[in-house]
Amino acid sequence: MRDSYREQLDDILADLVEMSQVVSSAVRSSTTALLEADIHLAEQVISDDEKLDHKQSEVEARAFSLLARQAPVAGELRTLVATLRMVTELERMGDLAAHVAKIARLRYPEIAVPDSLRPNFVRMGDVAEKMVVTAGQTLNDRNIQNAQELRARDEEMDELRRTQFRLLLSDEWNFGVEAAVDVALLGRYYERIADHAASMARRIIYIVTGDFPEDAYWPQP
Amino acid sequence: MRDSYREQLDDILADLVEMSQVVSSAVRSSTTALLEADIHLAEQVISDDEKLDHKQSEVEARAFSLLARQAPVAGELRTLVATLRMVTELERMGDLAAHVAKIARLRYPEIAVPDSLRPNFVRMGDVAEKMVVTAGQTLNDRNIQNAQELRARDEEMDELRRTQFRLLLSDEWNFGVEAAVDVALLGRYYERIADHAASMARRIIYIVTGDFPEDAYWPQP
């Protein structure tokens, strides 16, 4: 019976790893949809997000039922509670990727991002995607050393966003108000994806070590 | 012992109600700081947010310890799990109020919001604040009828944001790119506060009835 409990918990964790793969792929596709004005890809990200919402409900129900069925011991309880939170964060990251895709769809057949900010968004999309991949891998192998690399990536994300603001508010900005509003919101969405990935990593460190990292870098859950 | 368990759970719920009062007050103050360019009030919202972060950690630790100490029965388990989530949402709403205050501080002594959008932001601030108040009251009295009124307010919030976008992207927008970026992000912050309040209400309905509302309106947790 104990084994079966542990197996069910492992199944839930495997589902979270799988969800992180779906999310990282949604982040990549939404960035492509944005930068290539690919309407079909945008639509796909938006409709796939619903599947992610259903998956979240399903995983939550299983985690909750496992929590209710048998009083878990300390480490398992910690894992289950972290699970309930990580599934919410994954669902939010999926929403944010869908928000990016919705801006791509709104501006189609135009490209929402001006040429001068293209390299910035290529990098933002890449950093966000890799952070989700790293969070998923860390959950899969419980090697919290990997989680540490999220810090450098998160700092790069902040710097990318500062670069955006500098350009948006400089005299060189010739792309008007609509593009500025799009860029500001898109930057916010990518930044939030990065925040959620970092927060997920923090929870994994908590599962593995029993403590939240003390380091001031790690965001509050 | 059962009584004491129930009392501790009630204490946690009372703390959430108190946190919701702190958050609604932070939302009100950040709106005033924004619209009056009140730098002292802005600083206060920003520093009070740290207290809210500490309160979150403290309430989480108690909820977790209660969860670990004694296997709770179904209704209590449901409440405890909902508690762990509501405390995260309250902390996020506090962050978002601090984000509003930070834009107020950034533009001081100027006012970030152009005159023509002032009534819109007065209303947004008011709707967001009242939604947090209603969520807190609903948690306090477990009268889920009140939660229903959040729907009308949330719809008003969406309409206020659409009005902002219409104005931002119209030919009448003469306030430049910086103000447009500020308004777009501010609108997003208020909208997210409203989303979290609605999500909290959803969790309270779940605590009281044992089911999430089926209605398509209610956002996913």
Side-chain angles (χ1 to χ4, degrees):
Chain A
M1 188 58 193
R2 206 65 206 157
D3 276 353
S4 138
Y5 188 91
R6 185 69 233 179
E7 278 161 20
Q8 287 172 57
L9 185 52
D10 284 344
D11 286 348
I12 290 173
L13 290 170
D15 275 354
L16 290 187
V17 172
E18 195 190 304
M19 278 178 81
S20 73
Q21 288 157 356
V22 174
V23 169
S24 63
S25 155
V27 172
R28 186 172 57 251
S29 297
S30 66
T31 306
T32 305
L34 179 69
L35 297 175
E36 309 302 327
D38 184 331
I39 187 78
H40 299 295
L41 205 50
E43 295 285 6
Q44 197 190 313
V45 172
I46 295 162
S47 69
D48 282 355
D49 183 45
E50 270 185 47
K51 293 182 206 155
L52 216 47
D53 293 348
H54 286 122
K55 187 75 188 172
Q56 176 202 14
S57 304
E58 191 242 310
V59 171
E60 273 193 350
R62 276 160 51 212
F64 190 82
S65 123
L66 205 54
L67 200 56
R69 202 135 31 92
Q70 188 179 344
V73 297
E76 287 167 350
L77 179 63
R78 208 161 63 210
T79 305
L80 266 174
V81 170
T83 294
L84 281 165
R85 277 151 173 202
M86 286 191 283
V87 75
T88 308
E89 302 206 85
L90 285 162
E91 186 268 334
R92 276 304 300 158
M93 291 188 245
D95 285 348
L96 290 159
H99 284 342
V100 170
K102 280 174 191 169
I103 290 184
R105 181 173 69 178
L106 191 64
R107 301 302 170 215
Y108 175 84
E110 304 295 318
I111 297 178
V113 172
D115 272 350
S116 63
L117 268 170
R118 198 181 174 83
N120 179 287
F121 273 100
V122 168
R123 193 70 203 132
M124 265 202 162
D126 199 43
V127 170
E129 179 195 341
K130 290 225 166 62
M131 286 181 77
V132 180
V133 169
T134 302
Q137 277 172 349
T138 308
L139 184 61
N140 190 49
D141 57 24
R142 312 284 198 283
N143 178 354
I144 61 171
Q145 291 308 313
N146 292 339
Q148 302 297 337
E149 85 174 54
L150 285 172
R151 173 206 295 249
R153 292 198 192 279
D154 201 21
E155 276 166 12
E156 185 179 356
M157 180 63 87
D158 290 344
E159 183 51 39
L160 287 164
R161 194 143 189 253
R162 279 191 292 271
T163 304
Q164 282 182 356
F165 277 117
R166 269 195 300 272
L167 193 63
L168 277 181
L169 305 178
S170 74
D171 294 337
E172 290 154 54
W173 186 261
N174 297 316
F175 310 98
V177 166
E178 184 177 274
V181 165
D182 284 347
V183 165
L185 291 174
L186 287 164
R188 173 77 184 159
Y189 300 148
Y190 281 109
E191 184 197 29
R192 290 299 298 157
I193 292 171
D195 288 344
H196 283 292
S199 170
M200 236 186 102
R202 193 172 178 275
R203 296 186 198 287
I204 299 163
I205 294 175
Y206 174 66
I207 291 178
V208 174
T209 67
D211 277 310
F212 281 116
E214 283 294 323
D215 198 316
Y217 158 73
W218 293 95
Q220 279 297 310
Chain B
M1 189 58 193
R2 206 63 204 158
D3 276 352
S4 139
Y5 189 90
R6 185 70 232 178
E7 277 161 20
Q8 288 172 57
L9 185 53
D10 284 344
D11 286 348
I12 290 173
L13 291 169
D15 275 354
L16 290 186
V17 171
E18 196 190 303
M19 278 179 81
S20 74
Q21 286 157 357
V22 174
V23 170
S24 63
S25 156
V27 172
R28 185 172 59 252
S29 296
S30 67
T31 307
T32 305
L34 179 70
L35 297 175
E36 309 302 328
D38 185 332
I39 185 79
H40 299 294
L41 205 51
E43 294 286 4
Q44 197 190 312
V45 171
I46 295 163
S47 68
D48 282 356
D49 183 45
E50 272 186 45
K51 293 184 207 156
L52 216 48
D53 292 349
H54 286 122
K55 187 75 191 172
Q56 177 203 12
S57 304
E58 191 242 309
V59 170
E60 272 193 351
R62 276 158 54 210
F64 190 81
S65 124
L66 205 55
L67 200 56
R69 201 132 35 91
Q70 188 180 344
V73 297
E76 286 167 348
L77 179 63
R78 207 159 65 209
T79 305
L80 266 174
V81 170
T83 294
L84 281 165
R85 279 153 172 202
M86 285 191 283
V87 76
T88 307
E89 302 208 84
L90 284 162
E91 188 268 335
R92 276 304 300 159
M93 290 188 245
D95 284 348
L96 290 159
H99 285 343
V100 170
K102 280 174 190 169
I103 290 185
R105 182 172 69 178
L106 191 63
R107 301 303 169 214
Y108 175 82
E110 304 295 317
I111 296 177
V113 172
D115 273 350
S116 64
L117 267 171
R118 197 181 175 83
N120 179 287
F121 273 100
V122 168
R123 194 69 204 133
M124 264 203 162
D126 198 44
V127 169
E129 180 195 340
K130 289 225 166 64
M131 286 181 77
V132 181
V133 168
T134 302
Q137 279 172 348
T138 308
L139 184 60
N140 190 49
D141 56 25
R142 314 282 200 286
N143 178 352
I144 60 171
Q145 290 309 311
N146 292 339
Q148 303 296 335
E149 86 175 54
L150 285 173
R151 172 204 296 248
R153 293 197 192 278
D154 202 23
E155 277 167 11
E156 186 179 354
M157 181 64 86
D158 290 345
E159 183 50 39
L160 286 164
R161 196 144 188 252
R162 279 192 292 272
T163 304
Q164 283 181 355
F165 278 117
R166 269 195 301 272
L167 193 61
L168 278 181
L169 305 178
S170 75
D171 295 337
E172 291 154 54
W173 186 260
N174 297 316
F175 309 100
V177 165
E178 184 178 273
V181 166
D182 284 346
V183 164
L185 291 174
L186 287 163
R188 173 76 183 160
Y189 299 148
Y190 282 109
E191 184 197 30
R192 289 299 298 155
I193 293 171
D195 287 344
H196 284 291
S199 170
M200 236 186 101
R202 191 171 179 277
R203 295 188 200 287
I204 300 164
I205 294 175
Y206 174 65
I207 291 177
V208 173
T209 67
D211 276 312
F212 281 115
E214 284 293 324
D215 196 315
Y217 158 72
W218 293 97
Q220 279 296 310

